[in-house]
Amino acid sequence: MLSDVEICRNTTLTPISAIAKQAGLLDSEFTTQGNYKAKVSLDCLKRLTPNKTGKLVLVTAITPTPLGEGKTVTTIGLAQGLAKRNQSVTACIRQPSMGPVFGVKGGAAGGGYSQVAPMEELNLHLTGDIHAVTAAHNLAAAAIDARLYHEQRIGYDDFEARSGLKALKIDPSRVVWKRVMDHNDRALRMVTVGKNEPGKTINGYEREGGFDISAASELMAILALASDLRDLRQRISRIVLAYNHAGEPITTEDLQVAGAMAVSMKEAIEPR
């Protein structure tokens, strides 16, 4: 019996350009990344809006068998079955996090003859969207500690006079935005940031923080909901990062990082 990876490697794959055209996309509506991956332009939504709306089948909340057949295998198998019956069908699954791929859980490309190929590319980096989310998320995290450092180092009044910015007066004990990484690393779930050598503050001021896995970032939910780059930017601007000493929320817009975060994710908004 062939393993999942053997089945994948022994299968002749169809170029992604042919798959895109079969799905009804124009040449201008997708950008290939190698022979078997592509990003789809959101512009195709405007062209296809007048078309008849299809049916959505949501596969969720399935407990996998001991062999690992769960939501992804069911979704892909269902799509294959419908295609076999000459139905127009497309399966939509999320990109796996790399952490579980290297852990007990394993990959999330399906299995057997119901899998996405090439499975190695899907399970590892694919088009780099999760890395873009990680970078954008951690940009905000770094900005929080930088702002805390400069405001506390010279005082609120002096900070406003020197920078021309309004002091945010962030409460270090009420920072709700952790850092993220795309691996399972339980040792980093709770950490102390801003540690220094005795008598120094160059690394900032100590506070409690931690790391989540990148897929748990609020930016992932925003990425799934955003309809275009402008909508993405607006949604990011409303993210609450922390609270000030008066208990008022501080957003990415207050910290002036929303635009930079959106730019970091401008390619990720296009599905693949």
Side-chain angles (χ1 to χ4, degrees):
M1 183 176 178
L2 296 177
S3 66
D4 293 347
V5 69
E6 288 173 331
I7 291 173
C8 183
R9 291 175 178 174
N10 289 333
T11 300
T12 301
L13 302 183
T14 303
I16 195 64
S17 56
I19 298 293
K21 291 178 181 178
Q22 184 180 349
L25 296 175
L26 304 178
D27 289 340
S28 61
E29 294 174 338
F30 66 94
T31 304
T32 58
Q33 298 190 355
N35 293 326
Y36 307 114
K37 296 183 293 185
K39 300 284 287 185
V40 180
S41 171
L42 295 179
D43 291 340
C44 69
L45 294 176
K46 300 175 184 177
R47 179 178 65 84
L48 297 173
T49 296
N51 288 16
K52 183 179 178 180
T53 301
K55 295 180 179 179
L56 174 66
V57 178
L58 179 63
V59 179
T60 186
I62 289 177
T63 301
T65 70
L67 296 178
E69 297 104 341
K71 295 185 292 296
T72 305
V73 170
T74 301
T75 299
I76 298 169
L78 177 60
Q80 290 173 320
L82 290 170
K84 190 71 173 179
R85 295 176 62 87
N86 296 318
Q87 298 294 315
S88 176
V89 59
T90 300
C92 178
I93 62 172
R94 70 178 182 88
Q95 180 182 347
S97 296
M98 286 205 303
V101 169
F102 294 112
V104 175
K105 185 178 179 182
Y113 290 91
S114 295
Q115 62 172 293
V116 176
M119 65 177 298
E120 299 101 315
E121 293 187 32
L122 174 71
N123 279 325
L124 299 181
H125 300 279
L126 195 57
T127 55
D129 292 349
I130 288 184
H131 301 311
V133 168
T134 302
H137 184 112
N138 289 337
L139 184 155
I144 292 170
D145 285 299
R147 191 61 168 262
L148 273 168
Y149 171 71
H150 290 298
E151 289 191 11
Q152 292 189 21
R153 181 174 61 90
I154 60 177
Y156 300 137
D157 293 339
D158 201 3
F159 172 82
E160 292 183 343
R162 291 191 187 189
S163 68
L165 300 172
K166 179 183 178 181
L168 297 179
K169 303 178 182 179
I170 301 170
D171 183 348
S173 67
R174 299 198 66 189
V175 174
V176 296
W177 193 254
K178 294 183 177 181
R179 286 166 167 81
V180 297
M181 63 186 301
D182 197 29
H183 286 292
N184 297 333
D185 195 341
R186 66 179 65 249
L188 294 178
R189 290 176 182 172
M190 296 179 66
V191 299
T192 301
V193 300
K195 295 182 72 67
N196 289 276
E197 296 177 3
K200 295 183 177 181
T201 61
I202 189 64
N203 295 330
Y205 293 90
E206 283 192 24
R207 68 175 184 85
E208 297 305 308
F211 282 78
D212 293 321
I213 197 164
S214 297
S217 170
E218 185 176 341
L219 292 177
M220 279 294 191
I222 288 175
L223 193 59
L225 294 170
S227 57
D228 53 36
L229 189 58
R230 182 185 297 274
D231 185 35
L232 177 75
R233 168 67 171 79
Q234 292 175 344
R235 289 175 183 272
I236 289 176
S237 72
R238 297 193 291 268
I239 294 175
V240 174
L241 303 174
Y243 294 85
N244 63 19
H245 288 287
E248 300 165 331
I250 296 172
T251 66
T252 56
E253 198 68 55
D254 296 326
L255 200 58
Q256 299 184 351
V257 295
M261 293 169 70
V263 168
S264 298
M265 294 172 59
K266 67 183 181 67
E267 303 295 335
I269 191 175
E270 295 185 338
R272 65 276 181 189

